[in-house]
Amino acid sequence: MGTNSRLHKSTVLLLTAVLSLTVLGGCNTYRAQQNEQSATPGANRETLMGRNQNPNILVGKHSVRNYSVDEKSLEMSAKSVPGVEGARISISGGNAYVTLDLAPNITAQHARDIERQVIANLVQKAPRYDYHLTSNDGVHTTP
């Protein structure tokens, strides 16, 4: 009877230890999940360029997965800036190439100001792209 009693005590002790480790292990997993969820919003951003490396991430309520819809929307936004007569936007991956047709007789300084305003509007509309802008007087006019 003495060996049965010892066997019973050691089994109970072993089961208690396994149960304790299981409970403690589960709590640790819960804390790890909480830490992952509470990461800062900018944690997935590249520090050098200050932008997200995935061009397919949709940002904002005006996000679309169709480039032609995005291009038209961005063109309208660029044309809304005073001094811009026409705009053409081509999207390739995470890059948006913007060509502006500015009003005639604009000074170089005023052209740079218009370009800055256009870029600000486009970044606000669709921050997921890197914008490359070119502007000339009469780019979209036919000879």
Side-chain angles (χ1 to χ4, degrees), residues 19-57:
L19 182 63
S20 297
L21 288 174
T22 304
V23 169
L24 290 176
C27 290
N28 195 15
T29 304
Y30 176 71
R31 284 190 191 123
Q33 289 172 350
Q34 274 186 326
N35 288 340
E36 286 177 26
Q37 291 173 352
S38 65
T40 60
N44 193 23
R45 310 262 303 170
E46 182 188 75
T47 56
L48 180 62
M49 295 297 288
R51 67 176 177 84
N52 198 303
Q53 292 298 299
N54 185 352
N56 298 317
I57 290 180

Side-chain angles (χ1 to χ4, degrees), residues 2-90:
T3 56
N4 266 347
S5 169
R6 278 191 218 160
L7 183 61
H8 180 63
K9 284 182 182 179
S10 61
T11 304
V12 169
L13 184 61
L14 180 64
L15 288 174
T16 304
V18 169
L19 182 63
S20 297
L21 288 174
T22 304
V23 169
L24 290 176
C27 290
N28 195 15
T29 304
Y30 176 71
R31 284 190 191 123
Q33 289 172 350
Q34 274 186 326
N35 288 340
E36 286 177 26
Q37 291 173 352
S38 65
T40 60
N44 193 23
R45 310 262 303 170
E46 182 188 75
T47 56
L48 180 62
M49 295 297 288
R51 67 176 177 84
N52 198 303
Q53 292 298 299
N54 185 352
N56 298 317
I57 290 180
L58 300 178
V59 179
K61 64 180 181 178
H62 302 291
S63 299
V64 295
R65 289 197 183 274
N66 187 335
Y67 281 151
S68 63
V69 171
D70 242 357
E71 288 171 350
K72 296 296 179 200
S73 174
L74 293 173
E75 283 176 9
M76 289 176 22
S77 180
K79 288 178 186 177
S80 72
V81 175
V84 176
E85 290 187 343
R88 175 76 182 124
I89 298 180
S90 299

Side-chain angles (χ1 to χ4, degrees), residues 93-111:
N95 296 303
Y97 300 95
V98 182
T99 306
L100 298 178
D101 181 18
L102 301 179
N105 302 324
I106 287 184
T107 64
Q109 180 59 42
H110 190 209

